[in-house]
Structure formats: structure tokens, C-alpha cells
Amino acid sequence: MNARARNAGRALLRGLTALIWPLTLLTAGALAGGVAETAVGRFQAYPLYGLLRPVADLLLVIGGVWLVVGLARLGFTRPPGRR
């Protein structure tokens, strides 16, 4: 494997690792939303739903925006060696 291909592979890996946190926030938001829906559906704990649902929505919004920004940065960066 030549140096150019190795550098391109490292740049792609670095870009994909930048997407881990947005995906983690999206997963946490989805899980919090599921817990909120379960709390109100099964246990009828409306105060817990009132607390978890806004937190879940906030996590989903932040994670979604962060993911879009990360994908845009990944898509618009030039590969190494091309100027």
C-alpha cells in the first residue's frame, strides 16, 4: 500500500470517528424517548414523562444538527494530496 492510499484511509477514519458523538446523542435521545413513552403507557408516570420527553427531544435535535454538520465537513474536506 502506498503512502497516499494510507493517508487517505487515515483521513477517512478520522472523519468517521468525528461522527461517533452525534450518533451517540441520537441513540441516547431515542432511548430516552422510548423510556418516556413506556413510563406514561405502562406505569402512567406523567411527571417522569414531562421530564424525559423534553430531554429526549433536545438530545435528538442536538445530535441531528451535529450529525449534519459532521457529514458536511466530511463531504467538503479535500483528500490529502489534492490542492
Side-chain angles (χ1 to χ4, degrees):
M1 178 182 276
N2 63 14
R4 178 177 273 174
R6 191 171 30 245
N7 288 340
R10 286 182 186 155
L12 179 64
L13 184 63
R14 214 175 351 207
L16 292 178
T17 55
L19 300 179
I20 290 175
W21 282 110
L23 293 175
T24 303
L25 281 177
L26 287 173
T27 303
L31 287 175
V35 169
E37 295 296 329
T38 302
V40 76
R42 177 177 270 180
F43 306 114
Q44 295 185 0
Y46 294 105
L48 184 62
Y49 178 81
L51 175 72
L52 281 178
R53 193 66 220 181
V55 170
D57 291 341
L58 184 64
L59 286 173
L60 288 172
V61 167
I62 292 171
V65 169
W66 198 356
L67 183 65
V68 168
V69 169
L71 287 173
R73 286 184 61 193
L74 187 64
F76 291 123
T77 55
R78 293 182 183 167
R82 287 193 176 173
R83 302 234 177 224

